[in-house]
Amino acid sequence: MASFERASPALKEILLRIYNAEKPIEVDYHLYEFGSVEYHIKSSVSEPQVTYLSISTPFLSQGVFLSYGLSPFTLKMVRQISTDVLHIVEPANDGYQLTLRLDFSKLPHNKESLKIITEVSSVQAVILSSQLKEMLQNVNSWDSSQAMYKPIKLIYHPKEPFYVIRQPQKIVAVFPMRFKDNSDVIIATSFFQELMDVVSLKKWAKVPPCNWSPIPPLELRGESFEDLSTNGGFVSFDISSHHVEGKRLDKTVWSLLNFYAYVKHHVKCTRGFIQRRMRRRLDNLVEVLEKSRVEDGQIKKGGER
Amino acid sequence: MPFMTSPELLLNPVLICRNEAEKCLIETSINSLRISLKVKQADELENILAKKFLRFLSMRAEAFQVLRRKPVQGYDISFLITNYHCEELQKQKLIDFIVQFMEDIDKEISELKMSVSTRGRLVATEFLKQF
């Protein structure tokens, strides 16, 4: 399941260990996350301040980006993490889409160093979110001569694809929702209904309009049966230009990428909450029953009468 | 306890219905009493909450002594009170417990449903704040 934190905790720990080591250390780690993301971290005693970080991650959309590797926009986003510390090595190491040369001697000697290492550790999130940013940035540039719009299937987590469909003046993000348990479906459906209720209030007029439907929306009708078979219905968000202006773009992209994780986390927490309430009520009821026990003293008193 | 071999030891059952969805069946015999309850479930959410809660209680039936692990078919929960229970527990307080149990089940399911909806609303609000 996707983590809400952008930085990979394991990668961050390894980089911090290398940075804080008193003596140069030889490091050659392979790190795997979410079943499909691989990091290779290499640091040598002969180059003490330099660490090489290679990343292999499935792309968000296989169709759009596969042929030529990372787009210039993505590479620009990666460079922006830290222009002093981070340099992109071209070509990338075999089997990886990106190799970075990290120069720890350029890190400032204060709390900023932790911030930069944390941002380097979030490079996988930067790569994936930049792909969605590229799509959403051009909300208003839809060519009116285009008669048909084809949904683009995006995969942030292997079993949880979602779709992005360009329309005049907006982009619609559609999430087919699937759950293992029927009770999860019902808890999630209750959540989606609350989400729609909240969005319909005047106070939330500026957020992307949200809709839940038990059947696939019209825009997805041509997609494969396997992708449209769900038990939790379809949640869609209409993203327009003011949702992607300036700093909002990053927040909107991250919220969309983590929508599944957010819903599943809420369902899990709700189940835990229900369990705790039931346990408390059980204890209360047992206490009431215990009070009805006949005590030895009462029997003796009855006998003596 | 009388079994199907001794039907003459069974007394007439009493069925009390509030409506089609809520009823109480009381089956009596010469030395025991079985009370089965069908609890109100107005929608899917109440349905799963009631199922979860009553199953939770039934699986811990030994804590209640008078509760059955498996409800009678067509009902959500069943009690079995025998003459032995009446010796260990005060009858009037046992009756109070059964009545309070019935009231608490309805109350708990309503409160759970409201809590789940309120939590959903709060979480939805927090999610939308990110935009």
Side-chain angles (χ1 to χ4, degrees), chain A residues 253-273:
Chain A
V253 161
W254 194 242
S255 299
L256 291 177
L257 287 178
N258 285 292
F259 180 67
Y260 276 122
Y262 201 86
V263 172
K264 298 225 166 149
H265 186 67
H266 165 65
V267 168
K268 190 176 172 185
C269 291
T270 302
R271 288 174 73 113
F273 165 76

Side-chain angles (χ1 to χ4, degrees), chain B residues 30-114:
Chain B
I30 58 162
N31 65 349
S32 63
L33 179 72
R34 189 162 67 184
I35 304 170
S36 303
L37 303 172
K38 181 121 184 74
V39 170
K40 177 190 83 167
Q41 291 156 45
D43 55 29
E44 277 186 325
L45 185 55
E46 279 191 14
N47 185 291
I48 58 142
L49 291 173
K51 273 198 172 69
K52 272 187 182 300
F53 186 40
L54 295 170
R55 188 166 184 273
F56 182 86
L57 295 178
S58 302
M59 295 310 286
R60 289 153 185 81
E62 67 282 353
F64 290 103
Q65 294 180 287
V66 295
L67 194 62
R68 285 189 90 213
R69 278 198 178 274
K70 209 174 161 192
V72 164
Q73 200 172 6
Y75 291 83
D76 297 314
I77 197 154
S78 296
F79 295 92
L80 180 66
I81 302 167
T82 66
N83 54 311
Y84 298 113
H85 294 133
C86 294
E87 285 167 19
E88 289 170 10
L89 307 166
Q90 297 175 47
K91 277 187 208 163
Q92 191 52 51
K93 290 204 173 167
L94 191 51
I95 294 168
D96 291 343
F97 165 74
I98 302 285
V99 170
Q100 185 168 346
F101 188 97
M102 287 196 275
E103 287 170 351
D104 280 0
I105 293 287
D106 275 348
K107 191 176 154 200
E108 185 62 32
I109 291 168
S110 296
E111 284 177 7
L112 270 172
K113 182 182 174 184
M114 206 173 331

Side-chain angles (χ1 to χ4, degrees), chain A residues 30-41:
Chain A
H30 287 266
L31 184 62
Y32 299 88
E33 281 183 345
F34 306 127
S36 51
V37 180
E38 185 185 346
Y39 299 100
H40 180 209
I41 307 117

Side-chain angles (χ1 to χ4, degrees), chain A residues 39-236:
Chain A
Y39 299 100
H40 180 209
I41 307 117
K42 195 161 181 176
S43 176
S44 169
V45 172
S46 56
E47 265 190 296
Q49 294 294 333
V50 171
T51 297
Y52 289 91
L53 170 64
S54 298
I55 303 119
S56 168
T57 175
F59 289 131
L60 210 50
S61 166
Q62 294 296 311
V64 177
F65 298 108
L66 187 59
S67 318
Y68 302 104
L70 298 177
S71 70
F73 180 79
T74 300
L75 293 173
K76 181 184 158 195
M77 292 288 111
V78 170
R79 280 192 195 97
Q80 279 178 358
I81 293 173
S82 172
T83 46
D84 294 331
V85 174
L86 187 151
H87 299 277
I88 295 175
V89 173
E90 283 174 18
N93 288 346
D94 266 343
Y96 297 94
Q97 284 111 4
L98 181 69
T99 298
L100 304 175
R101 183 179 181 275
L102 307 173
D103 187 351
F104 286 152
S105 64
K106 299 278 169 63
L107 278 171
H109 294 290
N110 52 29
K111 284 180 189 172
E112 269 297 301
S113 61
L114 177 62
K115 191 180 165 201
I116 292 171
I117 288 176
T118 305
E119 283 173 16
V120 170
S121 308
S122 62
V123 65
Q124 192 249 352
V126 168
I127 291 171
L128 293 187
S129 57
S130 71
Q131 293 172 9
L132 187 53
K133 277 180 192 171
E134 251 187 304
M135 287 182 217
L136 296 185
Q137 265 181 336
N138 303 316
V139 165
N140 286 332
S141 65
W142 187 78
D143 183 351
S144 59
S145 67
Q146 286 177 304
M148 299 296 291
Y149 44 80
K150 192 165 165 40
I152 302 172
K153 183 176 170 181
L154 304 179
I155 301 174
Y156 188 48
H157 185 277
K159 290 179 187 171
E160 293 169 345
F162 67 101
Y163 293 86
V164 157
I165 306 137
R166 296 182 72 98
Q167 290 188 350
Q169 305 301 316
K170 67 178 179 182
I171 287 178
V172 181
V174 182
F175 296 85
M177 303 303 301
R178 288 177 192 89
F179 301 92
K180 284 182 188 166
D181 203 58
N182 186 48
S183 53
D184 288 357
V185 171
I186 293 163
I187 294 170
T189 308
S190 161
F191 168 68
F192 299 143
Q193 279 160 355
E194 293 297 334
L195 188 64
M196 286 198 295
D197 277 347
V198 171
V199 163
S200 66
L201 298 173
K202 263 189 191 172
K203 184 185 165 189
W204 297 98
K206 290 185 181 174
V207 302
C210 165
N211 186 47
W212 175 78
S213 159
I215 58 169
L218 270 168
E219 297 91 338
L220 292 187
R221 291 285 161 91
E223 294 302 306
S224 72
F225 180 74
E226 195 187 29
D227 287 338
L228 299 186
S229 305
T230 69
N231 56 7
F234 297 80
V235 179
S236 48

